[in-house]
Amino acid sequence: MAKTVAIIGAGCSGLTAIKCCLDEGLSPTCFEKSEDIGGLWRYTAGHFLCNHLQEIVEEKRASLYNSVITNTSKEMMCYSDFPTPEDFPTYLHNSKVLEYLRLYAAHFRLLQYIQFKTEVCLVSKTPDFSKTGQWEVTTECSGVKKKECFDAVLICNGHHVEPYLPLESFPGICDFKGRYIHSRFYKKYEDYRGKTVMVVGVGNSAGDIAVEISGVAKQVYVSTREGTWVLSRIFHKGLPLDMSLQTRCHFWIMNSLPAGLLHKLNAKQMNSWFDHDNYGLRPKDTSWLKEPMVNDHLPGQILCGAIRMKPHIRRFSESSVMFEDGSRVDGLDDVIFATGYTVFFPFLDESIVTVNDNNVTLYKNVFPLHHEKPTMAFIGLVQPLGSLLAASELQVRWAARIFKGAAQLPPVAKMFAHFQSTTERRIKCFGRGRNQTLQSYFIDYMDEVAVEIGVRPNIMRLLVTDPKLAVQVFFGPSTPYQYRLTGPGKWSGARKAILTQWSRTINPARTRVVQRPKDSGSVMRHIFVLCGLTTAILIGFYCVKWETLRPSGPRF
Ligand code: NAP
């Protein structure tokens, strides 16, 4: 009989979890608290309540603001055997991501495995766990509680649900008479028309919200402790940032450089759009590559004066805020704390997983180290400086093979040593901050998991068997299809998907067909080719003529 797997959450990780379990012959049941799929990517409107930290958006579910657009391009963020439709734009509005998830669920007939409006209240080990590795899952649906036993559990509930709001770090906030909220509760910019607003933090939420509000507010300030690099979605020649930079070739070169040179080049690259010093944004420590902000409009809004960058906050008072550099802003109406999230599993007790200031001890961000049996996996608990959706899918492919018994985990000591060495490397690369605990390089992380499944692309072999593809895999964007070329879960469409990824990227923007003007360069090229051809014909003609005219006789 097929092994049973409980999947918690029907967001982008949960959906692919169902599909990958089915691929491996497992029997999945997915529990979704809300009435629909999509998780974080399903926008719902909320209500504004001031100075309130209680749930005003859907409880225990990630909450988006309406304007969220992906910061990874559609080719990089799709599932590895299901390219985003060609007519979808390169960067997707959240409603388009949801549409894509619906297409995926429909194509692979996943909805039948989901129990909606069913909350998982508790996951605990069965009494004979050390022998069977089975889990008892307690759920609640319409007030009715139910306990079921499963062979394995996939935790796919996401880590952007529980807001991190350290009010104790902001002296005087209790005296502040204006409104303040965490960015989780931000929904619409209209609430800030004509107001003086302070956004705290420089993550992607802070950037998006500050830019959006700055269109209608009297003045927006953004306070940062550390600063950040800001990148545009659009890279050289208008190509998507991630498709241009997330290549194996680029990653290989960067990895081979000495750290000092790498940091210099990195700073040069980051400053190529605008000088971060002039905009008050440069990160304090440029030797760490914290997740950069991806925002196409922030520098423009700073240049127009609609947003003003400020250092860390010293204290609030009734209607003002003072900063560490001694400056102050009076007449402050609103504060939005875009201070990030806390990793939280309300249905697991500490003996199953311990979260310490966002640190979770997991082998390759997936398997707890101390369980007697490898029957629980955490999916999407990683921040890979690239597509989370693609990383989640690969994690779940690996977990499904472990559950099935088709792959094994190394001994605990080896996993622990790996955890320690990757933690050290992470701190060296990204720093110690609580929002860097899950960070890793995209290709690095993907390959690490792919090795476990046996699906890491082998460039040397490809070079011999399929040079055209090898060139695309090495020099082109490291799209998820690369992990479907060989090994378990091989997809026959992967090669074609890789060779056509650029046309799917560029075509959606070509909504007005334009004739390229014939530039003088191409005219010169034609003249050059014509001259070359004429010369070749003349030489040929001359040689033939010489052969026929030449008197026959012995050749010397
Ligand atoms: P985040 O990336 O964790 O950023 C939190 C920010 O809050 C950081 O700038 C941090 O500053 C600051 N902060 C934390 N504690 C603070 C304190 N005590 N005092 C002052 N500042 C403090 O959170 P997020 O922006 O909400 O993003 C969460 C995730 O969602 C990220 O992975 C992000 O990329 C993603 N996201 C994506 C999009 C998109 O695709 N368009 C939009 C929004 C969010 P320090 O750096 O100084 O610690």
Side-chain angles (χ1 to χ4, degrees):
M1 216 174 73
K3 286 188 176 171
T4 54
V5 183
I7 297 167
I8 303 172
C12 61
S13 300
L15 288 174
T16 192
I18 303 173
K19 196 251 173 199
C20 296
C21 283
L22 292 170
D23 285 350
E24 292 295 342
L26 304 170
S27 168
T29 304
C30 177
F31 300 108
E32 167 56 45
K33 190 183 167 293
S34 74
E35 71 292 348
D36 202 354
I37 62 165
L40 179 145
W41 290 107
R42 187 162 54 80
Y43 167 80
T44 45
H47 311 285
F48 192 95
L49 277 187
C50 53
N51 297 1
H52 236 279
L53 297 179
Q54 76 185 50
E55 298 286 82
I56 51 166
V57 291
E58 241 180 286
E59 215 189 326
K60 296 182 196 164
R61 198 168 78 79
S63 168
L64 283 186
Y65 35 94
N66 196 16
S67 58
V68 171
I69 293 174
T70 58
N71 52 24
T72 46
S73 63
K74 66 169 186 176
E75 289 298 313
M76 299 293 283
M77 75 161 282
C78 65
Y79 295 117
S80 57
D81 54 359
F82 195 71
T84 320
E86 169 132 18
D87 62 334
F88 276 32
T90 300
Y91 288 100
L92 305 179
H93 182 257
N94 60 77
S95 57
K96 279 289 191 196
V97 180
L98 183 61
E99 198 179 328
Y100 170 71
L101 296 179
R102 290 199 195 288
L103 289 172
Y104 182 76
H107 182 80
F108 293 108
R109 298 163 199 254
L110 306 179
L111 294 186
Q112 56 188 307
Y113 301 96
I114 306 173
Q115 295 184 15
F116 290 106
K117 294 189 177 177
T118 306
E119 181 176 1
V120 172
C121 313
L122 186 68
V123 178
S124 53
K125 291 178 178 176
T126 52
D128 55 354
F129 180 83
S130 53
K131 262 199 226 144
T132 62
Q134 287 180 324
W135 297 92
E136 203 165 70
V137 177
T138 309
T139 55
E140 186 177 338
C141 178
S142 313
V144 180
K145 284 207 170 179
K146 195 171 154 191
K147 264 186 198 173
E148 282 171 276
C149 184
F150 287 91
D151 294 314
V153 177
L154 286 167
I155 315 273
C156 305
N157 66 323
H159 58 273
H160 294 134
V161 179
E162 189 67 17
Y164 172 66
L165 181 40
L167 287 182
E168 66 287 355
S169 315
F170 300 100
I173 188 70
C174 303
D175 305 327
F176 179 59
K177 294 275 184 271
R179 304 180 291 187
Y180 65 84
I181 55 164
H182 185 271
S183 59
R184 168 175 161 76
F185 304 113
Y186 170 78
K187 287 287 170 183
K188 43 188 197 303
Y189 61 87
E190 287 92 342
D191 291 314
Y192 299 91
R193 191 173 290 278
K195 306 282 186 199
T196 301
V197 187
M198 170 88 207
V199 178
V200 182
V202 277
N204 278 308
S205 300
D208 281 355
I209 293 171
V211 163
E212 186 165 281
I213 291 176
S214 67
V216 297
K218 184 174 167 197
Q219 182 65 57
V220 175
Y221 297 90
V222 174
S223 156
T224 169
R225 298 186 292 196
E226 307 265 334
T228 186
W229 295 121
V230 181
L231 293 169
S232 167
R233 288 177 176 82
I234 308 165
F235 200 61
H236 291 328
K237 298 196 171 181
L239 298 176
L241 172 77
D242 54 355
M243 287 182 80
S244 310
L245 291 183
Q246 301 273 24
T247 70
R248 287 179 183 278
C249 173
H250 184 255
F251 185 64
W252 178 73
I253 294 172
M254 289 302 183
N255 252 353
S256 335
L257 296 176
L261 179 60
L262 177 69
H263 296 142
K264 268 195 191 148
L265 284 177
N266 189 47
K268 198 169 159 49
Q269 169 92 68
M270 297 288 181
N271 278 322
S272 60
W273 183 24
F274 66 94
D275 186 335
H276 284 63
D277 290 1
N278 294 343
Y279 286 66
L281 279 162
R282 173 187 271 271
K284 248 186 202 158
D285 192 335
T286 52
S287 61
W288 290 333
L289 186 62
K290 286 163 57 172
E291 184 183 10
M293 181 197 289
V294 179
N295 196 303
D296 302 312
H297 310 292
L298 183 72
Q301 292 302 83
I302 294 176
L303 207 57
C304 300
I307 294 178
R308 289 186 187 170
M309 295 305 301
K310 286 300 217 177
H312 190 43
I313 291 161
R314 183 177 290 160
R315 69 172 297 113
F316 285 96
S317 63
E318 280 192 8
S319 62
S320 344
V321 53
M322 272 137 281
F323 300 96
E324 279 187 341
D325 62 355
S327 62
R328 61 185 282 157
V329 168
D330 294 320
L332 189 64
D333 298 302
D334 286 274
V335 182
I336 300 172
F337 290 99
T339 40
Y341 291 86
T342 295
V343 175
F344 183 53
F345 307 103
F347 43 81
L348 294 178
D349 79 35
E350 283 210 347
S351 66
I352 301 201
V353 69
T354 324
V355 183
N356 184 6
D357 205 17
N358 268 9
N359 285 288
V360 194
T361 312
L362 298 172
Y363 177 54
K364 298 197 176 180
N365 288 57
V366 177
F367 286 98
L369 303 182
H370 63 292
H371 291 181
E372 303 94 308
K373 298 271 178 187
T375 53
M376 174 177 278
F378 291 79
I379 306 302
L381 204 54
V382 61
Q383 229 158 293
L385 286 186
S387 166
L388 181 58
L389 192 141
S392 295
E393 186 200 24
L394 207 57
Q395 290 178 327
V396 99
R397 284 173 68 188
W398 175 32
R401 290 188 64 73
I402 297 278
F403 295 165
K404 183 184 170 185
Q408 269 77 45
L409 290 182
V412 174
K414 215 169 163 192
M415 291 197 287
F416 193 70
H418 181 274
F419 171 76
Q420 281 190 315
S421 66
T422 45
T423 305
E424 278 162 26
R425 204 167 38 155
R426 177 175 49 73
I427 292 172
K428 219 167 130 192
C429 294
F430 305 115
R432 281 185 185 277
R434 70 184 303 286
N435 50 343
Q436 277 82 54
T437 55
L438 302 174
Q439 221 166 297
S440 58
Y441 288 112
F442 181 68
I443 298 177
D444 206 15
Y445 182 75
M446 294 291 276
D447 277 0
E448 265 206 358
V449 177
V451 163
E452 301 279 353
I453 317 170
V455 297
R456 183 182 164 172
N458 184 331
I459 309 281
M460 281 320 199
R461 191 177 305 154
L462 269 184
L463 208 54
V464 177
T465 56
D466 193 342
K468 187 177 173 190
L469 185 62
V471 167
Q472 265 306 311
V473 170
F474 187 69
F475 293 103
S478 186
T479 43
Y481 321 119
Q482 295 194 356
Y483 301 101
R484 290 278 181 188
L485 288 169
T486 48
K490 179 178 168 176
W491 173 48
S492 59
R495 181 180 190 274
K496 189 173 169 212
I498 292 171
L499 296 180
T500 52
Q501 60 202 6
W502 278 110
S503 64
R504 276 193 307 282
T505 304
I506 291 160
N507 285 347
R510 289 186 171 152
T511 46
R512 175 176 162 258
V513 180
V514 287
Q515 294 291 328
R516 278 184 197 275
K518 279 192 180 146
D519 59 280
S520 56
S522 80
V523 171
M524 285 310 288
R525 254 195 316 276
H526 283 117
I527 292 172
F528 189 73
V529 171
L530 211 66
C531 288
L533 271 175
T534 317
T535 317
I537 289 167
L538 284 176
I539 290 174
F541 180 72
Y542 179 77
C543 289
V544 171
K545 213 169 169 199
W546 171 249
E547 263 313 294
T548 46
L549 293 179
R550 189 172 59 87
S552 53
R555 290 179 186 188
F556 301 100

